[in-house]
Structure formats: structure tokens, C-alpha cells
Amino acid sequence: MRLYDGGRAPNPRRVRVFLKEKGISVPLAPVDLGAMEHKSDRYTAINPMQRVPALQLDDGTIICESIAICRYFEALQPEPALFGRTALEIAMVEMWQRRIELHLLGGIQHVFRHLHPGMKDHEVPQVPAWGEANKSRVLEFLSLLDRELSGRRFAAGDGFSVADITGLIALDFLRAAKLAMPPEFTHVARWHTELSARPSATA
């Protein structure tokens, strides 16, 4: 088994944080995104979408998409449960994981990919207007999330979950996208501080 990893990129890091929370070690196969290695014929044969991460199992099966990879390891090693246990917990984790992925991490990625000069060869074509449009979308969702976190410790309730991992990755990626956290979002800031203090945050 090996995990094709993209270093500082958000999605590979999501899987690394998840694995560290589980206490699972998987050999990493670095993919140099700066050198466009993900576009190479060799890596395209592994993942035709030319994205990282990708998990190659011992029988040659390839699993792509961060959350699909995390679900695979959750099924192999259910504890600690990071996708919930009860029907309600599972639904709430899924809801907040999806919301944070689409409306926070996704929005920040659009800002970064469409406005950062270093991404011009990765995002073809870059659409600066779309990058700018997503700045307000990110702030709108942060405002909603701040209100939600005023009443609970973690994204989906009282327990740490994969939704919090996605949130940590998203908030850490604000700096790369040159977006500032508004100071009035005190509950999001408290949440981010707590998530950043977990040992897995260094993955």
C-alpha cells in the first residue's frame, strides 16, 4: 500500500491528518506538484484526473478523492470514529463535512487557484473574476460557521470528526490564498486554535 502525496496541498494533508488521528502509518510516494509531476504520463496512469492524493492498495486497486480514502481507513479501523457512530452523528458529520468542503475549503481554493500567479499553469484558464467572487462567499460561510460554533465545541457536535479536519485544512489555507480571518469571528478562531493544538495538525 502507498499513498501518493502532494506535500503542502490541502487535500493530501487532509488524509495525512486523518491517518495521524487514527494512528495509521502508510508509506508516502511524493508527487511534486510544482514540477507538474501530477500531469505526467506515469501519474496519469494512476489517477486520470491528475489530482492528489491517490491510495494504491497492495492488489493494485487505486482509490482517489480524499474523503473516499478516509472512509476506506475508517472501515478498516473504526476507532476512533471520525465519521460518527449513531445514525444522527453520521448524518451530522456528513452534513458539516460537505458544507465545509464546498463552501469554505472549495471557496478558498477557488481564490487561490484563480488569483495566485504561481497557479497560472495549474488552473487553465485562470478566471480572476471568479477568484474575487469567492472572497465574499468565503466570508459569508465563515459568518454562518461562527454562529454555529457559538453553541458547540466541534463542527458537527461535541466530538472531533472528519468535518473538523476539513475545517482545519481550510482555515490554514487562508494564508496561502491571501485571505484574512475577520477578528469578529471569535468562535471560529477558538475552534481553529483548538484544532491546531492537536498532534495531528502537524501532519
Side-chain angles (χ1 to χ4, degrees):
M1 181 184 297
R2 70 177 65 182
L3 180 67
Y4 288 90
D5 181 65
R8 294 179 296 173
N11 286 315
R13 186 177 170 223
R14 270 205 287 180
V15 175
R16 294 199 308 272
V17 171
F18 186 91
L19 291 173
K20 194 162 184 176
E21 286 285 343
K22 287 282 189 182
I24 297 173
S25 178
V26 177
L28 300 182
V31 179
D32 189 339
L33 302 181
M36 304 294 282
E37 191 175 350
H38 58 298
K39 300 287 188 180
S40 68
D41 291 342
R42 185 184 70 84
Y43 188 73
T44 300
I46 294 164
N47 182 4
M49 295 290 290
Q50 300 180 328
R51 305 290 190 195
V52 287
L55 178 68
Q56 185 174 38
L57 305 184
D58 292 339
D59 66 358
T61 301
I62 304 291
I63 303 172
C64 301
E65 306 300 333
S66 302
I67 295 302
I69 293 170
C70 292
R71 284 192 178 279
Y72 174 78
F73 285 110
E74 179 89 347
L76 288 181
Q77 183 174 306
E79 295 296 332
L82 298 178
F83 282 89
R85 292 187 179 87
T86 68
L88 180 58
E89 286 177 355
I90 291 168
M92 294 300 289
V93 169
E94 182 71 21
M95 179 176 78
W96 281 104
Q97 147 57 30
R98 185 73 170 156
R99 285 177 168 180
I100 293 169
E101 182 175 51
L102 287 177
H103 303 293
L104 185 58
L105 179 58
I108 296 167
Q109 287 176 320
H110 287 317
V111 173
F112 178 73
R113 293 182 70 89
H114 288 277
L115 292 176
H116 197 290
M119 293 301 294
K120 64 182 178 62
D121 294 329
H122 294 261
E123 192 66 45
V124 181
Q126 278 188 316
V127 183
W130 179 236
E132 292 292 344
N134 273 277
K135 290 181 178 181
S136 61
R137 292 167 182 253
V138 167
L139 291 177
E140 287 172 8
F141 185 77
L142 281 172
S143 179
L144 180 153
L145 186 59
D146 194 69
R147 294 193 299 273
E148 292 285 337
L149 288 169
S150 68
R152 60 180 181 271
R153 182 180 177 187
F154 294 112
D158 294 330
F160 179 85
S161 74
V162 69
D164 298 290
I165 294 174
T166 300
L168 169 68
I169 299 316
L171 294 176
D172 283 350
F173 203 51
L174 284 170
R175 178 177 295 182
K178 298 183 179 179
L179 294 171
M181 170 72 74
E184 63 267 28
F185 296 154
T186 57
H187 302 294
V188 171
R190 181 272 307 162
W191 178 57
H192 183 229
T193 297
E194 184 169 352
L195 299 181
S196 299
R198 297 178 75 90
S200 62
T202 61

